[in-house]
Amino acid sequence: MIKEDLYRIIQRCSFGRKKYPAIYWYSIENKNARKRYGGRLDLVELVSFINEQTYIMRQPGGELEEMAGRVEALDKLVVENVEQIYEGKKLKKLLKTLKNDYSRNELEKYYTYIIENIHSTRSSDFLEEERGEVLKKLSDRVLTPVQMDKLRRKQNILHKFIDEIAMYLINKNGIDTSLGGMEDPSWQDAFSGSFETFDTSKTTKQKKITKHEEL
């Protein structure tokens, strides 16, 4: 038996490796538990594998994905309570849930921070104010990559709130979206201002003007 064959047998017996190279993920929490990468040696697939293990949610070019920073369970709560969030009312129960069950990290606490401010001001206009603050900070050219990522994650969370309220108002007022989705620039421009602009139930009806009054 030649040395190369012996080396391959040792590889297979010790590491369960059949082909070279074999890539394994070792978690910081448990270094004895490893997970083998079973995909191709392809950048997109490798980045996807790393995202699954770390939840950093990055694209192959290094940019953050639009889901980065968001928490699936909290996104679900936003959807379920979108009417109360828009109205800025009846949020005490939701706040209690957030504080009791979702305060493990800064991003979970950011959801609570948003709801607290909407509750205290009794208005979802806080979302636009906060988005403006985040955009202002993102324009700072001296931000470090870590600071930039932190703001991008907050921006993604804010977009979730804003998108859900926009869809709530569209459904509430029977607005026809067949000509374009929410990604259409015209929709993005439309919802860049106050939500109440598109809530026809809050629009004050103007007094009908007769021909004489018009003159």
Side-chain angles (χ1 to χ4, degrees):
M1 181 181 294
I2 62 174
K3 186 176 181 180
E4 185 178 352
D5 290 334
L6 179 61
Y7 178 66
R8 288 175 179 171
I9 292 173
I10 293 173
Q11 282 184 322
R12 187 164 57 250
C13 294
S14 301
F15 305 104
R17 185 165 69 183
K18 297 179 181 179
K19 292 183 179 180
Y20 182 85
I23 300 174
Y24 290 93
W25 182 268
Y26 290 87
S27 171
I28 294 177
E29 290 79 13
N30 185 1
K31 294 183 179 180
N32 294 322
R34 63 181 184 178
K35 185 170 183 179
R36 179 174 178 171
Y37 170 68
R40 300 176 300 165
L41 292 181
D42 174 81
L43 178 60
V44 174
E45 290 190 20
L46 279 167
V47 170
S48 177
F49 174 72
I50 294 171
N51 283 336
E52 289 174 3
Q53 308 309 313
T54 63
Y55 303 103
I56 60 174
M57 306 300 287
R58 290 199 182 276
Q59 301 177 31
E63 301 87 358
L64 289 173
E65 295 182 354
E66 65 176 20
M67 287 294 294
R70 286 167 48 184
V71 181
E72 185 176 355
L74 293 177
D75 281 351
K76 185 178 179 181
L77 287 175
V78 172
V79 174
E80 292 173 350
N81 295 273
V82 64
E83 181 177 356
Q84 294 94 311
I85 292 171
Y86 169 62
E87 297 290 345
K89 301 174 182 177
K90 300 179 181 178
L91 294 171
K92 289 184 178 180
K93 184 177 179 180
L94 176 58
L95 278 171
K96 185 177 180 181
T97 299
L98 292 172
K99 291 177 179 179
N100 290 342
D101 302 336
Y102 300 98
S103 58
R104 291 168 294 187
N105 57 57
E106 186 177 356
L107 293 172
E108 288 186 350
K109 291 177 181 178
Y110 189 60
Y111 280 83
T112 304
Y113 169 77
I114 292 171
I115 299 295
E116 280 181 330
N117 278 275
I118 292 174
H119 176 64
S120 63
T121 60
R122 294 194 175 278
S123 172
S124 54
D125 287 347
F126 168 78
L127 291 168
E128 288 299 328
E129 296 169 6
E130 180 70 3
R131 183 170 70 167
E133 286 296 316
V134 170
L135 288 173
K136 183 179 178 181
K137 291 177 181 178
L138 281 170
S139 65
D140 190 340
R141 295 184 179 181
V142 297
L143 287 174
T144 66
V146 173
Q147 291 172 325
M148 181 73 74
D149 283 352
K150 181 178 177 180
L151 289 169
R152 289 292 184 195
R153 290 186 176 98
K154 286 186 175 182
Q155 186 181 45
N156 290 342
I157 293 172
L158 286 167
H159 283 171
K160 177 61 178 178
F161 277 86
I162 292 170
D163 288 348
E164 289 303 326
I165 290 177
M167 289 307 302
Y168 163 72
L169 293 178
I170 286 171
N171 294 328
K172 177 182 178 182
N173 296 297
I175 299 173
D176 184 10
T177 61
S178 60
L179 297 178
M182 288 301 295
E183 69 279 0
D184 189 288
S186 61
W187 282 109
Q188 294 176 5
D189 291 341
F191 284 98
S192 62
S194 172
F195 292 121
E196 292 191 7
T197 306
F198 300 90
D199 189 350
T200 56
S201 67
K202 292 189 177 183
T203 303
T204 304
K205 293 184 178 180
Q206 294 183 351
K207 179 183 176 182
K208 185 177 180 180
I209 302 175
T210 65
K211 187 175 181 180
H212 295 292
E213 290 173 328
E214 189 176 7
L215 294 173

